Amino acid sequence: MSNGICYGVGVGPGDPELMTIKAVKLIKENDVIAVPGKVPEDAVAYKIALESVPELKDKELVPIYMPMVNDTDLMKENHRKGADLIEKYLDEGKNVVYITLGDSTVYCTFSYLQHLMEEDGYQTELVSGITSFTAAAARLNVSLCEWNEVLHIVPAFHKSDIKLDEPGNYVLMKSASHMKEVKELLRESGRNVMVVENCGMSNEKIYRSVDEIPDEAGYFSLIIAKEK
């Protein structure tokens, strides 16, 4: 018996209608669904997918708990536990579909599991989903870049020394925990700033200037800062 395949599947940014046909098909066709978090049913990715694939509630759900912590050793330990758990199903010849918010290739926790499983000799496949920043731009009815403009995508959470001084437009992701500092950077940049919080979800909010952005903006806040 050959081992199963682990699919890292992006379910899009929040609107269930933005899930790809391929993501829906893979969830329907496979019985084991890995979900980030302690309780699968509480995960945002699960709630999104469930609306487009009601059959999800009858699948075998595997919780993969990988909290973002500052302890590198603890993070690696959790990644190893997650990979080991998935590999047990792959050894049984079962495919595993790991569902993740947004796209599976952009700052995605599945990447850590993927590296470990591939090192262990298992087959993985990535299935792209609509990214938060392209969905947010569409929601704002603006383009991210035109003609020869450069687009910078920055995980602001990890870049306390970031400067918005390069030519082109910026997307700032994972900014919520440092929003006060990020707002100051945005003011200094002189750029046109727009934010979508919880894009495509029922509690979505849109801010069209730095002053409108609350300091306590939620984790899923996507900032677009364009040259004037």
Side-chain angles (χ1 to χ4, degrees):
M1 181 176 64
S2 59
N3 291 332
I5 300 170
C6 185
Y7 297 91
V9 177
V11 300
D15 182 348
E17 292 186 353
L18 293 181
M19 279 183 64
T20 66
I21 293 172
K22 188 166 187 176
V24 170
K25 185 169 180 281
L26 279 168
I27 294 170
K28 284 183 176 180
E29 291 179 347
N30 293 283
D31 296 325
V32 182
I33 312 296
V35 185
K38 274 187 176 180
V39 181
E41 291 84 354
D42 291 341
V44 176
Y46 175 85
K47 293 175 181 177
I48 294 168
L50 183 62
E51 289 198 45
S52 284
V53 193
E55 300 94 324
L56 182 56
K57 68 180 184 299
D58 300 319
K59 304 289 184 177
E60 182 172 359
L61 302 178
V62 181
I64 306 296
Y65 186 52
M66 296 185 294
M68 294 298 292
V69 294
N70 292 324
D71 187 331
T72 304
D73 290 335
L74 180 57
M75 284 182 65
K76 289 181 178 179
E77 182 182 327
N78 286 326
H79 296 158
R80 184 69 262 174
K81 286 179 181 177
D84 288 345
L85 185 54
I86 291 174
E87 287 175 4
K88 289 180 181 179
Y89 290 93
L90 302 180
D91 287 338
E92 295 172 4
K94 297 177 180 178
N95 293 335
V96 176
V97 175
Y98 181 103
I99 57 175
T100 181
L101 195 64
D103 180 80
S104 57
T105 69
V106 181
Y107 302 123
C108 179
T109 53
F110 179 73
S111 302
Y112 305 111
L113 303 176
Q114 179 187 12
H115 299 324
L116 291 172
M117 288 186 286
E118 289 179 350
E119 287 172 5
D120 294 340
Y122 294 89
Q123 183 179 350
T124 68
E125 289 187 22
L126 294 175
V127 178
S128 186
I130 292 176
T131 65
S132 58
F133 52 89
T134 53
R139 185 68 185 86
L140 292 163
N141 205 34
V142 298
S143 63
L144 282 171
C145 44
E146 299 175 26
W147 188 232
N148 63 346
E149 286 181 324
V150 176
L151 180 64
H152 307 271
I153 302 170
V154 181
F157 176 82
H158 303 293
K159 298 281 187 179
S160 58
D161 59 343
I162 180 178
K163 300 293 182 185
L164 308 181
D165 53 3
E166 294 291 329
N169 302 324
Y170 279 84
V171 166
L172 303 185
M173 303 178 69
K174 305 175 183 290
S175 307
S177 61
H178 295 275
M179 189 58 77
K180 287 184 71 173
E181 298 93 324
V182 171
K183 284 168 64 176
E184 283 305 309
L185 289 170
L186 292 168
R187 284 194 183 95
E188 292 170 8
S189 75
R191 295 171 178 272
N192 289 324
V193 175
M194 296 160 282
V195 178
V196 181
E197 182 179 0
N198 301 318
C199 184
M201 303 179 196
S202 60
N203 57 344
E204 177 188 89
K205 293 179 182 177
I206 291 177
Y207 310 107
R208 294 189 180 272
S209 73
V210 175
D211 293 331
E212 287 184 19
I213 307 169
D215 291 343
E216 67 281 0
Y219 178 76
F220 299 116
S221 295
L222 193 290
I223 300 171
I224 297 173
K226 298 189 71 171
E227 286 183 319
K228 290 184 177 179

